[in-house]
Amino acid sequence: MRAAVRIFHEQGVEKTTLGDIARAAEVPLGNVYYYFKTKDQLVEAAVAAHCAQLDTLTAQLDTLPDPAERLRTLVAGWVDQRETAARFGCPFGTLASELDKRDDGLDRAAAQVMRALLDWVESQFAQLGRADAAALAVELVAAYQGMSVLTNTLRDPGLMAAQGERLRSWIDGVAGR
Amino acid sequence: MRAAVRIFHEQGVEKTTLGDIARAAEVPLGNVYYYFKTKDQLVEAAVAAHCAQLDTLTAQLDTLPDPAERLRTLVAGWVDQRETAARFGCPFGTLASELDKRDDGLDRAAAQVMRALLDWVESQFAQLGRADAAALAVELVAAYQGMSVLTNTLRDPGLMAAQGERLRSWIDGVAGR
DNA sequence: GTCTATAGATTGATAGAC
DNA sequence: GTCTATCAATCTATAGAC
C-alpha cells in the first residue's frame, strides 16, 4: 500500500503498472492480486490512504490553540514538502487531477478528500470570525494547488518557498493583526 | 492534430490510445503514423499547439491599451472556459502535470510554455510600475491553476466564476486604483 | 499466504495493397 | 497519401504449485 501511494505519485496512476508496484514493495506480482483484486481497488485504497493522512494531519493541527497558527503550520508543512512537489507535484492534487480524466467513480472519492480539506480550512477562518470563511478557504487551498503546479512544471522549489511566505503574511492579515 | 489536443485534454495523454485519436479525427489508424512517427511526437505537437495558442492570445491582448485591462481580459477568458475546466481541468495545466510524471524531455517543453505565460503576465505588472512584477505573475497564474484544480475536482464551475471576480478586484488593487 | 507461469486483451508501431 | 491487416510488446488478471 505504501509503495503504491508513492509510485502512483511519482509516475502517475496510468503510467504505473502493477509490476512497478510489486517491485517497489519487493513482493511478487501475484501477491498484489491476493490483497487487491483489481488495479482500481489499489487506486481506491490510495485515495483512502490520502484521506487518512489528512485526518491525522488536521487532528495534529487541532491541538494548536490558535486557528491562525494552525493555518500557518499547515502552510509550513506544504513548504517543507517543496522538493517533492518540484519533482512530482502535490501528492494529492496530481492524483485528483488524474482521476478526473476517468469515467469511473474514483474521482468522486478524491473530491470528498479535497472537500474535507476545504471544510477544515474554512472552519479555521470561521473561528477567526470571518464571514467569508468559505471563499477564503478556496483561496488558500487553490493557492497551494496552483503553486504546486508551477513549482512542479518549472522544477523550482523556491517558488513554493516564496509563495509560502506570502501566504503566511496573508493569513496574518486575514486574521486581523 | 486538433483531435489529438482535444482528446489528450479530455482523457489525459496516458489513457489516450492512438486509436482514440484516429477515431476522433475520423481517419484510419495507419494515417496517424504517416504524419506522426510515434505517440511522443503527437504529444510534442500538442504542446506546440498550446504554445501557438498562447502566442495568439497574448498578441490579441497586446492590442488593448491598458496592461490592467489586458490582465482582466485574460482572467475573463479563463472564467469563460469554466465549464470545460470543471469537466477536464485547465487544458494546459493538466497536460503539463501529466508530462512531469514522465522521464522524457517533453516536460521541459511544457515548462517553456508556462514560462512564456508567466513572462507575459510579469511584463504587464512591470508596465503598471510594480517592482514585484515577477512575484505577482506567479501569484496570478498559480491562482488560476489552483482554481482550475479545485473547479475540476469538485466539478463546480461556480468556483472559478467566484475566484475570477476576486482576481479582477485584486488586479484593480495591484494596478493602484 | 507466497510465488511462478501464463492466459487474454490492449496497444504502439509497421508492412504492404491500393 | 490512404487504408487494412497484423506483428510484437506490454499489461491486467488468473491458475495452480508450494
Side-chain angles (χ1 to χ4, degrees), chain A residues 9 88 100-101 107 155, chain B residues 9 88 100-101 107 153 155:
Chain A
H9 179 215
F88 305 113
D100 277 317
K101 305 276 184 196
D107 54 343
R155 292 277 199 283
Chain B
H9 180 214
F88 304 113
D100 276 318
K101 305 275 184 197
D107 53 344
T153 301
R155 291 276 199 285

Side-chain angles (χ1 to χ4, degrees), chain A residues 116-173:
Chain A
L117 172 60
L118 281 168
D119 286 346
W120 183 86
V121 172
E122 176 179 346
S123 163
Q124 308 312 309
F125 284 122
Q127 289 173 45
L128 288 170
R130 299 287 308 217
D132 55 348
L136 291 171
V138 170
E139 190 175 340
L140 179 60
V141 175
Y144 165 57
Q145 289 298 332
M147 70 196 192
S148 291
V149 171
L150 291 193
T151 295
N152 182 215
T153 301
L154 301 180
R155 292 277 199 283
D156 181 4
L159 233 50
M160 182 149 299
Q163 290 292 300
E165 264 308 301
R166 180 184 72 76
L167 283 179
R168 188 187 171 85
S169 304
W170 176 79
I171 290 169
D172 289 343

Side-chain angles (χ1 to χ4, degrees), chain B residues 24-56:
Chain B
E26 293 180 279
V27 298
L29 175 59
N31 278 26
V32 176
Y33 281 98
Y34 182 77
Y35 292 98
F36 303 94
K37 283 179 183 162
T38 65
K39 185 177 178 181
D40 269 22
Q41 283 192 11
L42 250 175
V43 177
E44 196 175 351
V47 173
H50 280 286
C51 186
Q53 203 189 340
L54 176 63
D55 285 343
T56 303

